[in-house]
Amino acid sequence: MNTTRVRFDAAILIGRFQPFHNGHAALLRQALEIADHALVVLGSSFRARNAKNPFTWEERAAMIAASFDEADARRIIFVPVRDYYDDARWAAAVEEGTRVAMEKQGYAAPRIALAGFHKDASSDYLKLFPQWSFAASERQGEFDATPIRGLYFDSNETAWVTLRAQVPSTVAQYLENWRLLPAFAAMREEYESIEAGKQEWGLGPFITLDAVVTAVGHVLLVRRKNPPGKGLWAIPGGFLEGRERLLQGAIRELKEETGLAVEGAELAATCRSVAVFDHPDRSQRGRVITHAHWFDLPLSALPPVTGADDAAEARWFPIAELPGMETELFEDHFVILDGVLGVSGRAACGNASRA
């Protein structure tokens, strides 16, 4: 549909905005030109920080709002949405967030446009909303967010000068202040670790195993000792070795990282299901395809565990507590736990927020 002569109630811009840069700003200005409201859908919300997603959705909303004058900022509404690695479920979350946001503005049947441009395969999400008019745009800005993050984590002052030219001045100031926080040092350490791993091992594909172990209403997790994800809680697991079967590898990694004193044959007998998680973007380390084995132990008491190998700590957590731990979990491990155990406690998307 040609949107140039149509005034919309809302124009939607979807992205991670890690960080918000000049290209994003140009697209958002275009959205404000064709609609009364701009709905900014903030992807990858509610998860732990990592080098690919260093900023929380609230921090990204603050960056974006600060890039516009007060009158335009009042017209911007933020809709945080988590990653599901499932197109249908994710699209439904975006639609629901949009519906809720527009109802709060008093619209029962709003006229909606989806703003954006088809960059590459990462823009295929634009095809998931045929019910909305598409307001196509040309490429805006010189850099994408990925190289900008590389410049940000580079300690070279020349890189910082280059970065400042690619983001709004208010965002540059925000990023400069954020460099003083402990989170920046942690994310830079993670970024450098990931880049070194790519140089040594390549981008995959790699095969990994995860062991979701439940007993007496609890699930077994480990705290990661090293980057990426240093300090975050994770499902016990690791990389498949050369001559292992998948089940053997899952049991080996489980016992190495937790010291769980249950015989391998007994564990194998309690394996209730195996699920494959293979989304290309599930890991920063490259193409990592994992096989999550669910071991449901028929015990009356929780056996002792101790973190070892790549795990700094091992601990049993009540399954009922998992919905509140999303920001403490490594990579897509909340998605895995939700897929295996159905632990999602939040609505499909977060509450919409005005700038």
Side-chain angles (χ1 to χ4, degrees), residues 11-12 89 105 121 132 153 187 206 220 225 304 315:
I12 299 174
R89 193 177 181 192
Q105 302 304 314
W132 295 333
F153 292 127
M187 293 302 96
F206 305 111
L220 180 56
K225 183 188 297 184
R315 188 192 303 178

Side-chain angles (χ1 to χ4, degrees), residues 9-343:
D9 298 313
I12 299 174
L13 184 63
I14 300 174
R16 290 187 302 111
F17 311 107
Q18 295 273 15
F20 187 71
H21 57 65
N22 290 339
H24 295 142
L27 286 171
L28 187 48
R29 281 192 292 270
Q30 290 180 7
L32 289 167
E33 288 173 1
I34 65 171
D36 295 334
H37 303 279
L39 266 62
V40 178
V41 175
L42 297 163
S44 300
S45 294
F46 312 117
R47 63 183 303 164
R49 299 185 195 273
N50 61 42
K52 185 177 180 180
N53 296 287
F55 308 108
T56 67
W57 78 263
E58 293 92 344
E59 290 168 339
R60 287 175 278 160
M63 281 189 232
I64 294 169
S67 302
F68 292 83
D69 62 34
E70 185 176 348
D72 281 340
R74 283 198 299 267
R75 298 164 56 206
I76 301 173
I77 301 170
F78 297 100
V79 181
V81 177
R82 67 162 55 95
D83 291 332
Y84 290 99
Y85 303 107
D86 177 315
D87 285 350
R89 193 177 181 192
W90 176 82
V94 172
E95 288 186 60
E96 176 64 8
T98 298
R99 182 191 66 78
V100 171
M102 294 308 291
E103 282 187 356
K104 288 182 177 179
Q105 302 304 314
Y107 295 96
R111 294 166 298 172
I112 292 177
L114 179 62
F117 79 103
H118 289 285
K119 180 177 68 174
D120 51 31
S122 66
S123 305
D124 284 349
Y125 67 87
L126 294 170
K127 303 173 184 176
L128 299 177
F129 306 99
Q131 72 276 30
W132 295 333
S133 301
F134 181 54
S137 172
E138 299 297 323
R139 178 182 176 86
Q140 305 290 330
E142 300 175 34
F143 279 30
D144 294 324
T146 299
I148 289 176
R149 287 194 304 276
L151 292 169
Y152 189 48
F153 292 127
D154 191 330
S155 58
N156 188 308
E157 190 59 30
T158 301
W160 179 244
V161 171
T162 304
L163 183 154
R164 290 184 67 92
Q166 303 305 321
V167 300
S169 59
T170 52
V171 172
Q173 186 60 55
Y174 192 103
L175 295 177
E176 190 159 6
N177 293 337
W178 204 83
R179 289 205 296 182
L180 303 176
L181 300 179
F184 174 79
M187 293 302 96
R188 183 165 65 178
E189 179 188 25
E190 179 166 288
Y191 175 82
E192 292 172 347
S193 171
I194 290 168
E195 292 304 304
K198 290 177 181 177
Q199 290 293 321
E200 183 173 1
W201 304 107
L203 298 176
F206 305 111
I207 299 174
T208 59
L209 308 315
D210 287 305
V212 179
V213 182
T214 55
V216 201
H218 288 66
V219 65
L220 180 56
L221 299 177
V222 297
R223 191 185 293 277
R224 289 181 62 85
K225 183 188 297 184
N226 304 305
K230 182 179 179 180
L232 296 179
W233 291 103
I235 302 166
F239 289 88
L240 182 71
E241 295 187 349
R243 293 189 59 80
E244 279 184 324
R245 303 293 295 270
L246 296 176
L247 179 59
Q248 289 176 315
I251 292 173
R252 173 185 55 77
E253 286 287 349
L254 169 62
K255 294 176 76 65
E256 285 178 358
E257 293 191 345
T258 70
L260 182 63
V262 179
E263 292 299 322
E266 185 177 349
L267 283 168
T270 65
C271 185
R272 293 185 56 177
S273 67
V274 181
V276 177
F277 293 84
D278 65 345
H279 194 282
D281 296 325
R282 64 170 299 270
S283 176
Q284 300 179 81
R285 295 165 291 179
R287 187 69 193 276
V288 182
I289 301 169
T290 201
H291 302 72
H293 295 68
W294 178 19
F295 303 95
D296 190 26
L297 304 181
L299 303 175
S300 58
L302 295 173
V305 290
T306 304
D309 194 37
D310 294 327
E313 183 182 354
R315 188 192 303 178
W316 292 99
F317 287 88
I319 294 174
E321 291 184 6
L322 291 177
M325 294 181 61
E326 189 169 359
T327 60
E328 303 174 58
L329 290 166
F330 178 59
E331 288 190 336
D332 66 338
H333 286 205
F334 180 83
V335 175
I336 295 174
L337 291 167
D338 189 27
V340 176
L341 303 177
V343 299

